[in-house]
Amino acid sequence: MQPVAVLGGDDKLLAAARTGDQAGFERLIEPHIAVGYRLAAAMLNDAAQAEDAVQEATLRAWRSIGQLRSSAQIRGWFLTIVANRCRSMRRARWWSAIPLPEARLGLRSPADTVDQREDLTKALSRLSPEERAAVFLRFYEDLNSREVAEALGITATAARTRIHRALRRLRVDLREEGL
Amino acid sequence: MNTVTDLRQALSEEVMRLQPPAGLETRVLHQALHRSAAVDSTHIGRHRDAVRTRESRSSEAPRLMVLVAALLAIAIVVSLVFAARALHLVGSVPANPGPAGPGKLGSQPMLGINMVSPSIGWWGDDDGHLKRTTDGGVHWSDVTPVGPSPLNDYYIDASHAWVVASPGGLAPGRVGFFATGPIQLVTSITTDGGRTWLQGAAVTSYYNNWTTEGKYGPFRQISLFFVDQSNGWLLVPTQTSQTLYSTSDAGLHWRLVTEASVGQSARCRWAEMTFVSESTGWMTVECTSASDGVTPLLVSHDGGVTWHPQPLPIPIAGIDCGPHSRCATDCPLTGYVRPWSGGALVQCFGPPVFFDPLHGLLPVWSGQGAHTAQKLLITADGGTSWSARSLPGQVQLEIDFTDANHLWTIASSSDQLSNHLDANGGSASFIGPSLALPLYRTDDGGGNWVPVRTGVSLQSQQYGQFWRVQFLDQGNGFAVYGGTTLLKTTDGGHTWSVV
């Protein structure tokens, strides 16, 4: 007799989604859409493109749900798809049409008047999309290096290196992070 | 010096700036799943049931038709097996038996479309399906050979196409696939527009933490090039380098030509190849870290056995990405590079395009700080010597050509297409009023460029949505607008309509 695994709530949703249950998939993926959007926004620096990327990623997640082994892996798995979509969108052209300066002027926060903060914000915008994504996942979403690595499709060592390099470029005191 | 607390605060402000719009989750789920249902109603079912046969996505053929098609396919298989045995071929596989049906997949990225005539074109999509149209892109038939999903493809005309796949199951669309190990790669060949396929001998490759999403993703690491119906090359990664194979029987058998040997310490690799004859070819080189001294374009005169730096009449910056190591990694997808070097000159070389054994073009994209310049090099002696040609405007978005004399580009002055690039991130800002699409053409190989009066009036930031402008002759052309809409022109670009 085959052993029967006891499934948790999300695992039941995953099992249902794998059989084509759309409602189960929606309940499973919905909590991760906002973080996926924020990752896409960090990588693409454009709200409309970020939403497109998350929509594409969600479609691909639905198509690929059969490959997800455990519901515990869904966040990293979904973020991987989002990051890949962002890369594909960035690679679609050698440059993309993003109305940068005009769009940003009206959205500045009062904190931008502080020189140091402004420098940090500018420095953040100068990071590569991959570096921004790594920093964002590590310090905003509070993912650990292994989770960052999983989401970005790199090794944990590469993730730590990328974060370390980005922090140096941001002139962030590395000692505080123990890096 | 900033603190991590400052960083977290700055990130929070960034997130506030790019806060998810209201109703994001509902909208994303609705649109994604609606698209899934509309575009590919059978996809989930195929995955779930692990059905290996492929179908035209939108075809709903009666079962009897399927049975007849299957019997026909079996008959074709049998005849092909006999033919293959007679020719000592390695194996044969049938084409997808599904009939052509209405299948304009408007929501699939269409960047893999290559039209070979006004009516016939091939489309390798991001999900590993190879499609073909015979009515100018209105309908697409799935002609993917039965078996593993292709990882890359190549076409030379309306009839001859090749795909390379991994029988081990590595396939496009398998996201999050992080592993390493040897894999077998098999090439399939069609000479009848995808109706039937022959399978060639396997070669050993090696995958290393590839994320296997999309044709335009890392599978560029596996590339095919055929100079005619018989002679071609296959470039695949190995554990420490890359291996170049060649064939003289259309890919049924492959022989080892050479192993790449470029700047491994700088993580360089051979990127794109093109051959103009069985002996002469070029290879672009890309690196993921600074690599002074590595030549970005190599030439071979012995079928790929030995490679040498290609002399060019412009300063070569090397592949030095400065402190930022991204430029070269983004190069070969479209052949262009973002000028985000923070001041250093970066260059990216598309592979040369030849129209005949003597005449060819070589696009070179350069960037330095916020300035970009695109150069077009031209040869009339088979690549021995190259000379620079001018381009209109100060910023060019797309360049296409039908032969050495007839070229098109979307271009404008910098006050209309402001190349507003920050020193590192590289975002283009298009400014100015709504104007007709600034399309230019030349009939003398770039000597004189004249504007093409287009009926397309767009906000200037939308010019950049014209991708893959592809002219087949002086009248007929195609473009992918916004990534998912196929446009065509029959009057040399004056008017465009949605296919």
Side-chain angles (χ1 to χ4, degrees), chain B residues 295-423:
Chain B
T295 305
L297 187 66
L298 306 173
V299 62
S300 172
H301 296 292
D302 55 11
V305 178
T306 58
W307 294 87
H308 314 281
Q310 167 67 60
L312 293 171
I314 56 172
I316 302 298
I319 314 179
D320 183 357
C321 306
H324 318 296
S325 59
R326 300 166 301 152
C327 60
T329 59
D330 274 359
C331 275
L333 279 159
T334 51
Y336 321 136
V337 63
R338 281 171 178 251
W340 49 28
S341 65
L345 174 64
V346 292
Q347 291 174 313
C348 196
F349 291 78
V353 179
F354 278 85
F355 312 105
D356 58 52
L358 294 178
H359 297 90
L361 298 173
L362 171 61
V364 181
W365 278 258
S366 304
Q368 188 161 23
H371 305 287
T372 62
Q374 300 185 30
K375 295 184 187 302
L376 197 60
L377 305 181
I378 192 164
T379 181
D381 57 10
T384 304
S385 62
W386 298 83
S387 57
R389 284 288 188 271
S390 66
L391 288 166
Q394 292 155 305
V395 179
Q396 297 84 28
L397 298 182
E398 289 279 342
I399 299 175
D400 191 57
F401 21 79
T402 55
D403 55 47
N405 291 321
H406 299 94
L407 292 77
W408 285 260
T409 185
I410 297 173
S412 190
S413 59
S414 59
D415 60 342
Q416 287 298 330
L417 284 176
S418 178
N419 193 11
H420 220 326
L421 298 154
D422 63 66

Side-chain angles (χ1 to χ4, degrees), chain B residues 97-115:
Chain B
K104 181 172 178 290
L105 305 178
S107 59
Q108 265 270 4
M110 305 178 86
L111 298 176
I113 284 181
N114 277 290
M115 300 299 293

Side-chain angles (χ1 to χ4, degrees), chain A residues 37 45 51 55-56 60 62-63 84 91 93-95 98 128-129 139 142 169-171 173, chain B residues 1-2 8 17-18 27 31 35 44 48 127 213 324 326 333 336-338 395 419 428 467:
Chain A
Y37 170 87
N45 203 24
E51 186 164 340
Q55 187 182 316
E56 282 289 334
R60 285 177 180 272
W62 170 233
R63 288 176 167 182
N84 282 338
R91 285 188 297 234
R93 309 191 48 86
W94 68 289
W95 56 338
I98 303 172
S128 73
F139 294 103
D142 282 328
R169 293 185 55 202
L170 294 171
R171 296 179 57 78
D173 188 348
Chain B
M1 185 65 78
N2 299 296
R8 290 184 194 277
R17 186 175 71 80
L18 296 164
R27 191 165 56 252
Q31 291 177 348
R35 280 176 48 191
I44 294 293
R48 192 169 60 236
D127 289 333
E213 185 187 13
H324 318 296
R326 300 166 301 152
L333 279 159
Y336 321 136
V337 63
R338 281 171 178 251
V395 179
N419 193 11
W467 295 343

